[in-house]
């Protein structure tokens, strides 16, 4: 093991064995905006061996306020490709797969198959429902996060536990709150992404059943200095996870 990860390996929680599992792991980052840029950066620096970067959009000037992988020279280019270039400059030892496509129910099997963990860094419920349906069906742990203004929330969706539909039943509301509609502090996205990235590393190193993997919804409001963990129950008869009754 080279010196790149020396400070990480020094942690007993990681060690040589944990670092090896990170290097053998695959993470799919869905959305390469504020959350996705930061998450992908943390995972690449940590040595996750294969990172799939999924986003159909192009870099805009307004993105630069909070999307940490991009610069002025990337304006107009595809986010997934620009993100892969930036991360390759940081860590050329890992595999980076940019995918300039939108994730939906039709593309999920192709884009998410083989992932050890999926990070939801999108800004729309339709994509989250698609991630949820695919990952729950195939037993893939995934990590939801949403952020707008100075607040955000994140939850690990783990095999056998409540799913995203239990938290936010379909159909999606007609009007969604997003960074575009409410604004956003760059620091809010960075903090939520740090939590997401940490949980992804825990899962890749120790598995979704490990005691250190959080099983609550974490709500953060940086304006009000609020940090809360909230229990989420399975929805009885949930059409995705079964809610303990119906299966998938």
């Amino acid at each position: 093991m080279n010196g790149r990860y020396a400070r990480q390996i020094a942690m007993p929680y990681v060690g040589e064995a944990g670092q090896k599992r990170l290097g053998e792991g695959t993470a799919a980052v869905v959305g390469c905006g504020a959350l996705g840029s930061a998450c992908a950066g943390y995972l690449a620096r940590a040595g996750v061996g294969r990172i799939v970067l999924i986003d159909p959009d192009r870099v805009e000037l307004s993105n630069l306020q909070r999307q940490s992988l991009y610069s002025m020279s990337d304006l107009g280019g595809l986010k997934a490709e620009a993100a892969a270039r930036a991360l390759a400059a940081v860590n050329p030892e890992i595999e980076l797969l940019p995918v300039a496509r939108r994730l939906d129910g039709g593309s999920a099997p192709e884009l998410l198959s083989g992932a050890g963990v999926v990070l939801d860094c999108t800004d729309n419920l339709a994509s989250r429902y698609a991630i949820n349906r695919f990952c729950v069906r195939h037993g893939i742990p995934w990590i939801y996060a949403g952020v707008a203004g100075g607040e955000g929330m994140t939850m690990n969706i783990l095999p056998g536990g409540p799913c995203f539909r239990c938290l936010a039943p379909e159909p999606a509301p007609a009007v969604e709150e997003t960074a575009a509609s409410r604004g956003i502090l760059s620091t809010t996205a960075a903090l939520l992404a740090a939590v997401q990235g940490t949980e992804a590393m825990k899962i890749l190193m120790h598995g979704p059943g490990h005691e250190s993997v959080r099983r609550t919804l974490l709500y953060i409001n940086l304006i009000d200095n609020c940090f809360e963990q909230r229990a989420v129950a399975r929805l009885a008869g949930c059409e995705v996870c079964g809610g303990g009754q119906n299966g998938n």
Side-chain angles (χ1 to χ4, degrees), residues 63-74:
N63 299 152
L64 303 186
Q65 170 254 355
R66 65 198 178 281
Q67 299 182 15
S68 57
L69 291 181
Y70 312 123
S71 63
M72 291 293 292
S73 62
D74 296 315

Side-chain angles (χ1 to χ4, degrees), residues 44-121:
R45 290 178 187 276
V48 173
R50 185 172 187 265
I51 303 174
V52 185
L53 303 161
I54 303 167
D55 196 309
D57 295 335
R58 295 181 180 272
V59 181
E60 301 176 359
L61 183 61
S62 64
N63 299 152
L64 303 186
Q65 170 254 355
R66 65 198 178 281
Q67 299 182 15
S68 57
L69 291 181
Y70 312 123
S71 63
M72 291 293 292
S73 62
D74 296 315
L75 292 179
L78 290 166
K79 285 185 178 181
E81 294 180 357
R85 286 194 300 271
L87 295 173
V90 170
N91 191 349
E93 299 175 359
I94 63 174
E95 181 182 359
L96 298 157
L97 179 61
V99 181
R101 293 173 59 187
R102 187 168 302 281
L103 190 138
D104 55 28
S107 63
E110 178 184 353
L111 302 184
L112 301 183
S113 292
V117 65
V118 175
L119 293 91
D120 159 44
C121 301

Side-chain angles (χ1 to χ4, degrees), residues 159-177:
C163 74
F164 183 72
R165 193 177 181 276
C166 298
L167 174 67
E170 297 180 81
V175 178
E176 296 180 43
E177 289 191 337

Side-chain angles (χ1 to χ4, degrees), residues 136-223:
V136 170
R137 184 176 298 118
H138 295 278
I140 300 172
W142 70 280
I143 307 171
Y144 154 70
V147 60
E151 62 184 328
M153 61 183 69
T154 180
M155 176 179 166
N156 298 327
I157 312 297
L158 306 173
C163 74
F164 183 72
R165 193 177 181 276
C166 298
L167 174 67
E170 297 180 81
V175 178
E176 296 180 43
E177 289 191 337
T178 66
S181 63
R182 285 189 53 197
I184 186 172
L185 289 176
S186 61
T187 49
T188 311
L191 179 56
L192 267 294
V195 175
Q196 263 191 302
T198 302
E199 293 296 314
M201 286 186 266
K202 291 179 185 180
I203 289 168
L204 289 175
M205 287 190 291
H206 301 295
H210 194 265
E211 61 182 8
S212 65
V213 177
R214 184 171 35 77
R215 285 163 173 75
T216 56
L217 174 74
L218 177 63
Y219 169 78
I220 296 173
N221 187 321
L222 290 180
I223 304 301

